[in-house]
Amino acid sequence: MNTVDDNEKVTDVHEQTFPQTEAAEKSFSDEANHETPLNYQDDTIAATTDGSSLTPSKEGVEEKPKKLCGYLYKLGMKGPLKAWKYRFFSYDDMKCNLLYYRIATDVCALGSIDLHAATFHFDVEAEEGIFEIKTPTKPYILKAINKHARMYWLQQLQRKRWEYCNNPSKIQTECIMSSDVHDREGSLHFGDGDFLSPVTTPTDVVGKMVALMPAPQESTSLQNISLKHPWKEIQNTVRNMCGSKPTQAISRSVFHFEESEQVSAEVTTKQFGKMSPSLNFARKARKQNGGFSSNLENISSDKLDNPQLQIQALTEELKSQKDLVKLLHRTLESAQEEKRVCAEYLSAPEEKDRLELIRHKVRQIEDLRQRVEVLQQEKQDLEQCVSLKDFHIEELKEHVQLLMEKNSAKQLVIMKQNEQLLSQMDLDNTTSSGMDTLHGQYRKIDSLMDDINAYKTQNRFLNSEIHQVTQLWRNTAEKETALLMKCSYIEARNCQLESKYLILLRKLQEVLPYLDADYCEVIKRLIEDALQSDIKTPLQPSNVHFSPISEYDDYGFMIIPEYELEHLKLLAKIQALEIRSNKLLTHDVVDKPLRIKWNSLEELSYSTDLKNLVRCGIPTEHRKRVWKWLTCQRINFSANHYKDLLKKCESAQHPATQQIELDIHRTLTNNKHFNSPTSEFIQKLRRVLFAYSWQNPTIGYCQGLNRLAALALLVLEDEESAFYCLADIVENIMPTEYYSNNLSGSQVDQRVFKDLLSEKLPRLTAHFEQYKIDLSLITFNWFLVVFVDSLVSDILLKVWDAFLYEGTKVGNSFQHKHR
């Protein structure tokens, strides 16, 4: 009982004296439970070869990237005399710039090289160590001390450029359909592929250790001083001179490393030593083991003398400290568990509770024993498996040894044969000149082999550069596509809002007579401002791949009608805004997938897929090809048939010539290609109609043929193809006698349509009959010119696409739907 009281007193004193250390001890014990306390990585010490901090990092904590810096020669590109300047280069992670200084201790950089859009290259035939960085503004020629250092710089610059360009925190684009782009960005890795294996770090010329060493004699010579930046040279010289004084007001170089982190770590260790006995015990154990911090101080004093010995000593010290920390944490775990069990046992109020605790511990011991048996059985199974693996490894080793013996035997045979060949050649070539020639050829072969290896290395690097630049270009293209889609969506929404605003102004315009004079003036001013703003072209140049809405479409049809009345002008602008909004919204959703399908069609043939595509509308770039193909499938003329008809028109005049001349200037007045009498399309249309009047003397010419030929000319552009298309429509697609003198086929079509209308729409037919309206007065021209004058150009061309593919049933079905 006295022991118990003493323990309770010690516990109370500990809780009263150190109440603020509970969180620290809890954190310390939690780290012990996860078996990761101060578990230092072995490669941390290896990283110190390039000047990184000697403080070991915890396992699981992301290691800071190595600093890319070192001395290189830079070729001066300005002036009549080009000379190599010895410069200290350092990579800036924030801006993806390669800064260069005269010496490592300089504060102001002499210049920088922008790497995010640069490409890297080196020539095998150039001087050793030379490579080139090409930026959009100018090229930079640099030189390393050897090939190994050059390849290391090139690979590291490639990696830095890739990391900067694919950093998701650099640009965060909030696009409508760009989520897949960001998903792909998250899975990107360094894009050098398997072209070139990583080059080891040349620690003697690259890294922070180089910055800590004294400046080389080449960098301090007068020839190395930059005459282009005299003010920066003066600033750096003054700061370097003031840097030796014990003042902290003077700025130091970016490559000057202070020991503030180590001092703060020692202060923190002292504080925790005063707070927790367990941490005091750990600190005392570290002192007994030799003291890691004292060793660091002893080593850092002569770190420039022998860095290899320093690395070896630090590695051994780190291993011993890791083993000691693991042992201390196991001891701490067992002590804490024992303390907790004793506290529960002593806190039990009755003997039954204590007995129950003992029974519970007995059950736990039994469970642990069973688990130990299971683990022992698993251990035996694993040992058997390991023995089998070892046996298999031995067999493989024997097989490899056999292969190596066979290889060595073959090499011996080859060597003997080479010796025999050389001896035979010596016998044949007794003169010394022959031997010299042979040795010269061997030297030439060796030189050529070296050149081959150098070109292979250059080829692998260039392949990796092409691969990475291509990947960066693809990522940029995906981001650009997403931004363009967002831009088109925002512009479409803007058009919709502006259209709603104009509709509101039009509504207010209708009620102007009922408003006060002040309100009328304001509304009129708003309407004038809205009409003065031009919506036919964007205010700023746009890089969107679709063409902006203008007065005319791709075939010259007027989209925005010209009205003289003010309220009709407002209506025309509303219509133009709605057309633009629809174009913007359907460009990527509807038009782009259809274009992809049309682009995949190489050869045209009648099929269900082609029929469905034609019904959706043929894109402008494919319509000419498809119409020509459809015409050639149904019509067959000789090669010079159209030219012969033109010659006949020149020699004789057809009776329908006068009627053609009267109608030709009334053709498609809403199309800009037929507005002028001197237009090229007017002349083509005249020749097509004259030729067809001689092609079909029975019909000669009928009013309406001019519109059919004009639309064929607009799409096919070639007058001969338009002539064949006109002949195909009149003679193959449309019914017989449709364009005859009495138009009997057209009249039959009107009767059939009238019966169909009375059957499908009896109320509408009764309404027409009540007011004695002859429906043929409205619909006769629709059928005669295949809706050329009655539909807007977008719908008209889609109807004609299906009309040329499927025939007259398209016109009838459209007529029924239109009604």
Side-chain angles (χ1 to χ4, degrees):
M1 295 299 293
N2 295 332
T3 305
V4 174
D5 295 338
D6 294 337
N7 290 335
E8 291 177 354
K9 291 180 181 178
V10 171
T11 304
D12 295 338
V13 171
H14 175 71
E15 292 176 354
Q16 293 174 5
T17 308
F18 308 105
Q20 68 275 22
T21 61
E22 293 178 359
E25 290 180 355
K26 183 178 181 181
S27 174
F28 195 83
S29 62
D30 291 340
E31 291 180 357
N33 294 332
H34 288 83
E35 297 183 357
T36 57
L38 300 176
N39 191 6
Y40 306 119
Q41 296 179 351
D42 294 338
D43 57 349
T44 307
I45 297 299
T48 60
T49 57
D50 59 350
S52 59
S53 177
L54 298 176
T55 305
S57 60
K58 293 184 180 181
E59 184 178 1
V61 179
E62 184 179 357
E63 184 181 356
K64 294 183 179 179
K66 299 178 181 179
K67 183 70 177 178
L68 179 60
C69 57
Y71 284 96
L72 292 172
Y73 290 96
K74 178 180 178 293
L75 182 63
M77 302 299 293
K78 290 188 177 182
L81 298 178
K82 295 183 179 180
W84 292 102
K85 301 288 187 179
Y86 202 55
R87 297 285 183 255
F88 185 83
F89 286 82
S90 174
Y91 177 74
D92 185 6
D93 296 313
M94 299 299 295
K95 299 181 180 179
C96 193
N97 287 347
L98 189 63
L99 308 176
Y100 55 90
Y101 308 78
R102 186 167 63 88
I103 57 177
T105 56
D106 288 347
V107 177
C108 300
L110 300 178
S112 63
I113 304 175
D114 190 5
L115 299 180
H116 83 278
T119 57
F120 313 111
H121 173 70
F122 73 92
D123 191 0
V124 175
E125 299 178 357
E127 188 178 349
E128 182 181 7
I130 292 180
F131 61 97
E132 184 178 6
I133 302 177
K134 290 185 178 180
T135 64
T137 55
K138 61 178 293 188
Y140 295 88
I141 299 178
L142 308 177
K143 184 172 71 171
I145 61 172
N146 52 35
K147 296 179 181 179
H148 179 75
R150 175 184 65 186
M151 190 56 60
Y152 176 80
W153 273 98
L154 288 172
Q155 284 190 346
Q156 291 300 316
L157 292 176
Q158 273 188 336
R159 182 178 295 274
K160 299 295 184 182
R161 179 187 61 187
W162 178 264
E163 292 174 355
Y164 179 82
C165 292
N166 293 280
N167 186 9
S169 61
K170 180 169 66 72
I171 298 178
Q172 294 181 354
T173 306
E174 185 180 347
C175 296
I176 301 168
M177 301 177 64
S178 61
S179 59
D180 56 341
V181 177
H182 294 294
D183 293 340
R184 287 193 293 271
E185 287 179 1
S187 61
L188 289 175
H189 53 84
F190 178 56
D192 57 355
D194 298 326
F195 299 104
L196 196 63
S197 58
V199 178
T200 57
T201 305
T203 56
D204 53 341
V205 294
V206 177
K208 293 183 179 178
M209 291 294 294
V210 179
L212 293 174
M213 293 180 181
Q217 186 177 1
E218 297 181 18
S219 61
T220 58
S221 62
L222 294 177
Q223 297 178 355
N224 201 48
I225 295 176
S226 176
L227 300 178
K228 184 180 176 182
H229 308 89
W231 179 245
K232 291 184 179 179
E233 287 282 0
I234 294 172
Q235 284 182 326
N236 291 329
T237 304
V238 171
R239 296 194 180 205
N240 289 330
M241 293 174 62
C242 297
S244 59
K245 298 180 181 181
T247 173
Q248 301 187 10
I250 304 298
S251 301
R252 294 193 176 183
S253 170
V254 292
F255 307 102
H256 181 79
F257 308 105
E258 298 182 356
E259 310 242 346
S260 59
E261 295 182 357
Q262 297 180 4
V263 173
S264 62
E266 292 177 0
V267 172
T268 306
T269 306
K270 291 178 180 180
Q271 292 177 355
F272 276 98
K274 294 178 181 180
M275 293 164 59
S276 174
S278 58
L279 295 181
N280 276 330
F281 177 77
R283 185 164 57 87
K284 292 177 181 179
R286 289 180 59 187
K287 288 183 178 180
Q288 292 175 2
N289 199 40
F292 184 66
S293 59
S294 61
N295 286 338
L296 285 181
E297 294 176 357
N298 295 331
I299 293 173
S300 60
S301 62
D302 57 347
K303 58 185 176 183
L304 297 179
D305 297 336
N306 196 342
Q308 298 296 333
L309 292 177
Q310 172 195 1
I311 294 170
Q312 184 177 1
L314 289 174
T315 305
E316 295 176 356
E317 183 68 22
L318 178 63
K319 289 182 180 179
S320 62
Q321 293 298 323
K322 285 167 63 176
D323 296 338
L324 178 62
V325 169
K326 290 181 180 179
L327 179 61
L328 290 175
H329 277 291
R330 292 195 188 98
T331 306
L332 180 62
E333 287 179 4
S334 60
Q336 289 180 349
E337 183 67 20
E338 183 178 357
K339 176 183 176 182
R340 185 180 62 81
V341 173
C342 292
E344 290 179 357
Y345 182 79
L346 295 174
S347 61
E350 297 180 2
E351 194 69 26
K352 293 181 179 181
D353 296 336
R354 296 181 181 180
L355 184 60
E356 184 63 28
L357 286 173
I358 294 173
R359 291 175 180 173
H360 177 67
K361 291 300 177 181
V362 169
R363 287 193 296 268
Q364 287 185 350
I365 292 170
E366 182 64 24
D367 293 338
L368 291 174
R369 186 185 62 78
Q370 294 177 0
R371 288 179 60 187
V372 168
E373 292 178 356
V374 173
L375 292 175
Q376 288 178 352
Q377 183 64 31
E378 291 180 356
K379 179 182 177 183
Q380 293 177 0
D381 296 339
L382 291 175
E383 288 176 352
Q384 293 178 359
C385 182
V386 168
S387 62
L388 293 175
K389 295 291 183 182
D390 292 337
F391 179 73
H392 184 61
I393 290 172
E394 292 295 332
E395 291 181 349
L396 292 177
K397 286 182 179 179
E398 292 177 358
H399 184 65
V400 170
Q401 185 66 25
L402 181 61
L403 291 177
M404 292 177 65
E405 292 176 358
K406 290 174 65 177
N407 188 21
S408 60
K410 290 181 180 179
Q411 289 180 355
L412 290 175
V413 172
I414 291 172
M415 292 293 293
K416 290 180 180 180
Q417 291 180 353
N418 286 334
E419 291 176 357
Q420 293 177 2
L421 180 62
L422 290 174
S423 62
Q424 186 67 26
M425 293 178 67
D426 290 338
L427 293 175
D428 295 339
N429 302 314
T430 56
T431 60
S432 60
S433 60
M435 292 297 297
D436 294 338
T437 304
L438 181 62
H439 288 300
Q441 290 179 352
Y442 275 119
R443 287 193 296 269
K444 187 176 181 180
I445 290 173
D446 294 337
S447 177
L448 291 176
M449 290 298 296
D450 293 338
D451 293 341
I452 289 173
N453 293 329
Y455 278 111
K456 284 182 179 180
T457 305
Q458 182 191 28
N459 185 34
R460 292 191 190 100
F461 173 76
L462 292 178
N463 286 336
S464 67
E465 179 72 8
I466 293 170
H467 175 73
Q468 187 183 120
V469 171
T470 304
Q471 193 71 21
L472 292 173
W473 175 82
R474 288 176 181 171
N475 298 339
T476 305
E478 289 176 353
K479 294 178 183 178
E480 182 183 5
T481 303
L483 288 173
L484 288 176
M485 292 176 63
K486 181 182 178 182
C487 179
S488 62
Y489 176 79
I490 293 174
E491 192 172 357
R493 292 292 300 167
N494 183 42
C495 290
Q496 291 176 355
L497 293 174
E498 190 174 355
S499 175
K500 292 178 181 179
Y501 169 70
L502 294 179
I503 291 173
L504 179 61
L505 288 180
R506 191 165 180 266
K507 294 292 185 183
L508 293 174
Q509 189 181 29
E510 295 175 357
V511 297
L512 277 179
Y514 308 101
L515 297 177
D516 296 338
D518 297 337
Y519 292 110
C520 292
E521 288 295 330
V522 173
I523 294 173
K524 288 180 180 179
R525 194 179 303 112
L526 292 175
I527 293 173
E528 290 176 0
D529 295 340
L531 292 176
Q532 287 176 0
S533 61
D534 187 10
I535 54 92
K536 297 175 183 178
T537 55
L539 297 177
Q540 297 179 354
S542 175
N543 293 325
V544 185
H545 299 301
F546 45 81
S547 58
I549 299 299
S550 61
E551 292 186 61
Y552 302 95
D553 64 0
D554 295 333
Y555 296 103
F557 287 100
M558 184 180 293
I559 297 176
I560 307 173
E562 296 290 342
Y563 296 117
E564 296 182 359
L565 298 179
E566 189 174 346
H567 69 281
L568 294 180
K569 290 182 180 179
L570 200 59
L571 183 62
K573 188 167 184 180
I574 292 172
Q575 178 185 355
L577 287 170
E578 291 177 352
I579 292 173
R580 182 174 183 78
S581 175
N582 184 56
K583 286 271 188 181
L584 292 169
L585 290 176
T586 60
H587 177 263
D588 291 302
V589 179
V590 179
D591 297 343
K592 192 173 181 180
L594 285 177
R595 280 190 172 87
I596 294 174
K597 292 182 180 179
W598 277 104
N599 293 334
S600 63
L601 290 178
E602 297 180 356
E603 296 183 359
L604 298 175
S605 61
Y606 286 101
S607 62
T608 306
D609 295 336
L610 181 60
K611 178 180 177 181
N612 294 331
L613 285 176
V614 169
R615 286 187 173 185
C616 293
I618 304 174
T620 305
E621 59 268 22
H622 295 281
R623 182 170 281 122
K624 179 179 178 181
R625 178 172 68 101
V626 176
W627 281 25
K628 281 187 177 181
W629 175 76
L630 291 172
T631 302
C632 294
Q633 298 300 312
R634 290 186 293 262
I635 201 166
N636 186 16
F637 289 121
S638 61
N640 297 323
H641 181 68
Y642 180 69
K643 295 180 180 179
D644 296 338
L645 291 175
L646 290 180
K647 291 179 181 179
K648 192 173 182 180
C649 294
E650 294 175 357
S651 60
Q653 187 175 4
H654 195 275
T657 302
Q658 186 176 1
Q659 186 62 38
I660 291 174
E661 291 292 344
L662 291 175
D663 290 346
I664 200 170
H665 296 291
R666 296 180 291 184
T667 304
L668 300 183
T669 56
N670 63 336
N671 193 286
K672 66 178 180 180
H673 297 297
F674 293 95
N675 282 340
S676 175
T678 59
S679 174
E680 182 183 357
F681 280 83
I682 292 289
Q683 308 303 325
K684 290 181 179 180
L685 179 61
R686 180 182 288 108
R687 289 193 292 268
V688 169
L689 294 176
F690 284 168
Y692 188 74
S693 65
W694 288 106
Q695 160 69 21
N696 194 340
T698 305
I699 297 177
Y701 173 74
C702 175
Q703 287 185 349
L705 295 182
N706 57 333
R707 291 170 173 80
L708 301 180
L711 186 61
L713 267 175
L714 290 174
V715 176
L716 299 174
E717 298 176 358
D718 180 23
E719 58 182 277
E720 185 175 359
S721 301
F723 167 77
Y724 292 141
C725 182
L726 177 63
D728 183 31
I729 293 172
V730 176
E731 299 176 7
N732 296 328
I733 299 178
M734 300 301 283
T736 310
E737 303 291 333
Y738 210 85
Y739 296 97
S740 61
N741 293 332
N742 54 6
L743 301 176
S744 58
S746 300
Q747 294 178 10
V748 171
D749 228 355
Q750 292 299 314
R751 294 289 182 89
V752 173
F753 175 68
K754 186 176 181 181
D755 295 339
L756 181 64
L757 187 66
S758 61
E759 178 182 351
K760 300 295 184 180
L761 299 172
R763 293 179 59 188
L764 182 61
T765 305
H767 182 73
F768 284 151
E769 291 177 353
Q770 179 183 357
Y771 291 96
K772 296 180 180 181
I773 296 175
D774 187 4
L775 190 61
S776 61
L777 297 176
I778 304 173
T779 60
F780 186 82
N781 191 52
W782 292 2
F783 285 83
L784 194 66
V785 299
V786 195
F787 306 100
V788 171
D789 286 333
S790 55
L791 295 175
V792 294
S793 59
D794 290 345
I795 301 176
L796 172 65
L797 292 170
K798 291 182 180 180
V799 171
W800 269 61
D801 293 338
F803 168 70
L804 292 177
Y805 188 88
E806 303 182 47
T808 55
K809 70 173 186 176
V810 175
N812 295 332
S813 61
F814 178 79
Q815 175 71 25
H816 174 62
K817 293 179 181 179
H818 184 64
R819 293 301 301 169

